[in-house]
Amino acid sequence: MALILGNTNYMTPILLQVGSVKLYSFGTFIALGALLGGLVMYRLAKIRRLKTHHFFDTVLYSLLAGLIGSRLVYYFLYQNQFQNAWQALLFWQGGLVALGGLSIGFLVFLYFIKKEKDPIWQVLDISAIALLLAWAVGKFGCHLSACSVGRTADNFLTINGSYPVDLFSAVWALLGFVVFTFIWFKNRLSDGVIFFLALEGLFLGELLIKTLEVDFGEGMARAEAVVLLALIVMLYLIFWRLHGPKFEKNRFGLAIKNFVFRKWPKRG
């Protein structure tokens, strides 16, 4: 029986191996990210006194739908990498299309919170914060598994001569998690604003970081960039429609009504 705990290289696709049983970094950190994200979501919901009795089922079903969806999308795009269809179920070995899984998981999540008649925008705010943490942890697993290959360069941002794009994504998402958690606790933004800003920040960061990939502008990398750009534009338009400034008439003429802030900070 052999016991392997990685190596001295920063890339460790296999965290643990006992005989023929392998524990992959990719699947392990995806699961860990989902667990931590779920715990954060539960804790924030308790702080706002939202219903939490259904959160476990909602998060679990959304996660399963996202994993299955992202794996199936990857399978259909890269069928030449599989010996048979059953290998599509081995998602922990790597090979997921994150945006596909995120979209499918979100639709399932939205279905359950509407079914439970939760305050949708409040729940979406805390789910976006939880997503940032889960994304950061999952991307670190991608970094260990070398899911993405960065362009070669010679500067302080590189590791072993290339840009660690997945590590950049993990750090960016973690920073977003810290910032938006702080903003959420201040409780000065209207419900739903954090959801849009968090996703806009995440997708914009992903788009910029993808320009450092060695195959940026080619094949699937180009398609993912186009999808990210479309999501950024779509979210911005919806955000502007829901939370953009509104003009109202009063005795002094026209006034701009702000729909972003819940209340202005107190002075003095």
Side-chain angles (χ1 to χ4, degrees), residues 53-107:
H53 68 276
H54 64 91
F55 268 21
F56 178 81
D57 291 342
T58 299
V59 172
L60 178 62
Y61 292 142
S62 301
L63 176 62
L64 289 176
L67 286 175
I68 293 172
S70 60
R71 185 63 170 175
L72 289 178
V73 172
Y74 185 88
Y75 172 76
F76 285 116
L77 292 176
Y78 301 100
Q79 292 189 39
N80 61 312
Q81 297 183 10
F82 297 87
Q83 297 178 356
N84 55 66
W86 290 108
Q87 285 187 322
L89 301 177
L90 307 179
F91 60 88
W92 56 85
Q93 294 184 1
L96 300 175
V97 178
L99 292 178
L102 185 62
S103 300
I104 296 173
F106 173 76
L107 292 177

Side-chain angles (χ1 to χ4, degrees), residues 190-256:
S190 299
D191 295 336
V193 172
I194 287 180
F195 169 76
F196 285 106
L197 295 183
L199 290 188
E200 282 281 293
L202 177 63
F203 293 153
L204 181 59
E206 283 292 308
L207 180 60
L208 295 177
I209 291 170
K210 279 189 175 297
T211 63
L212 299 177
E213 291 184 0
V214 68
D215 60 345
F216 180 75
E218 303 176 4
M220 281 304 303
R222 178 174 60 186
E224 288 180 355
V226 171
V227 172
L228 280 170
L229 182 59
L231 286 173
I232 291 170
V233 173
M234 180 187 69
L235 285 171
Y236 175 79
L237 293 176
I238 297 175
F239 172 78
W240 187 261
R241 176 68 180 84
L242 296 176
H243 298 284
K246 302 293 189 293
F247 293 92
E248 294 184 345
K249 291 183 178 181
N250 57 26
R251 59 179 180 175
F252 300 107
L254 288 177
I256 299 178

